[in-house]
Amino acid sequence: ESGLAFDLVSDRIAGADDFLGQLKRYDVIVLADITCLGDNEAAALDRYVAEGGNLVVTGKTGALTEFGDRRPTNALKSLPFTRVKEVKRSMFAAYLRIGPGEMDFPKTRLILLDGVYVDVEAKPGVETLLRVEPPQRFGPPELSFPQVPTSSDPGVIIGSYETGKVA
C-alpha cells in the first residue's frame, strides 16, 4: 500500500558466487521467520550488515541449518541478542504498546501481536522499542480492556553490527 518496491531472494540466488554483491543492492533486507539458513547465506548476510546494510529479522530466523537441523547457536552473528530464552506460542490477544516518542503513529498506541513471541536475551548496549502487553481479555468492546500490566519485554530490539544495524 505504501508503494515500496521489494524483491524476493530464492535459494538459487543465495548460492551464487556474487550473493553478497546482490545483497548490497538493497537498503534493507527483511528475513521474515526464515528458520532454515545455510552457513554461507548467514555469512553473506552478516557481511552485508557489517558493511553498512540493514537487516530486519523476525521469528526464529537462522535457528536451523538449511537442512532443518537444530543449531547450537543462531547462524547470524549480527543479531542483537545472545540467546533465545523462550518461545511463547499462545499470544492470542497480546499487543505491543508504542511508548512516547517511539514511533510516529499519532492515532495508534497498540499493535496486535496475536502470534508467536520470541523472548531473547538482548546484547548489552542495544536499543529496545515497544513493550509486550500479555494476552488480554478479548471480546466485545465493553469487555475488552487491559487487565494485565505491560511487561518489560521489548517488542523490537535494535543493535549495531560494525557499520550496519539489525532489528
Side-chain angles (χ1 to χ4, degrees), residues 77-83 120-128 154 157-162 165-166:
K77 309 291 184 253
S78 57
L79 294 177
F81 61 87
T82 55
R83 67 181 182 90
V120 298
E121 184 176 286
K123 289 180 179 175
V126 298
E127 178 185 5
T128 60
I157 301 172
I158 303 170
S160 296
Y161 184 73
E162 296 190 28
K165 295 214 179 257
V166 178

Side-chain angles (χ1 to χ4, degrees), residues 81-141:
F81 61 87
T82 55
R83 67 181 182 90
V84 173
K85 296 189 292 187
E86 180 183 4
V87 177
K88 299 177 182 179
R89 298 187 188 287
S90 56
M91 297 298 281
F92 178 72
Y95 296 87
L96 299 176
R97 176 163 292 282
I98 300 171
E102 285 187 331
M103 300 174 85
D104 189 19
F105 294 150
K107 296 182 180 182
T108 303
R109 300 292 7 122
L110 296 173
I111 300 170
L112 182 64
L113 181 57
D114 197 28
V116 174
Y117 175 76
V118 181
D119 187 13
V120 298
E121 184 176 286
K123 289 180 179 175
V126 298
E127 178 185 5
T128 60
L129 299 172
L130 313 179
R131 290 291 169 256
V132 174
E133 287 207 3
Q136 309 288 325
R137 286 181 68 165
F138 191 80

Side-chain angles (χ1 to χ4, degrees), residues 1 5 11-12 22 29 40 42 49 70 95 120 125 131 135 142 144 160:
E1 291 179 15
D11 290 341
R12 286 176 285 162
Q22 291 184 41
I29 294 176
N40 291 338
V49 176
R70 186 172 303 281
Y95 296 87
V120 298
R131 290 291 169 256
E142 64 274 9
S144 298
S160 296

Side-chain angles (χ1 to χ4, degrees), residues 28-95:
V28 177
I29 294 176
V30 178
L31 300 176
D33 203 18
I34 308 298
T35 309
C36 297
L37 200 59
D39 292 338
N40 291 338
E41 293 169 304
L45 287 160
D46 282 337
R47 194 79 247 139
Y48 161 80
V49 176
E51 294 179 12
N54 298 290
L55 196 59
V56 176
V57 177
T58 67
K60 297 185 289 179
T61 293
L64 305 177
T65 69
E66 67 268 36
F67 305 110
D69 298 322
R70 186 172 303 281
R71 294 178 175 275
T73 59
N74 196 290
L76 295 167
K77 309 291 184 253
S78 57
L79 294 177
F81 61 87
T82 55
R83 67 181 182 90
V84 173
K85 296 189 292 187
E86 180 183 4
V87 177
K88 299 177 182 179
R89 298 187 188 287
S90 56
M91 297 298 281
F92 178 72
Y95 296 87

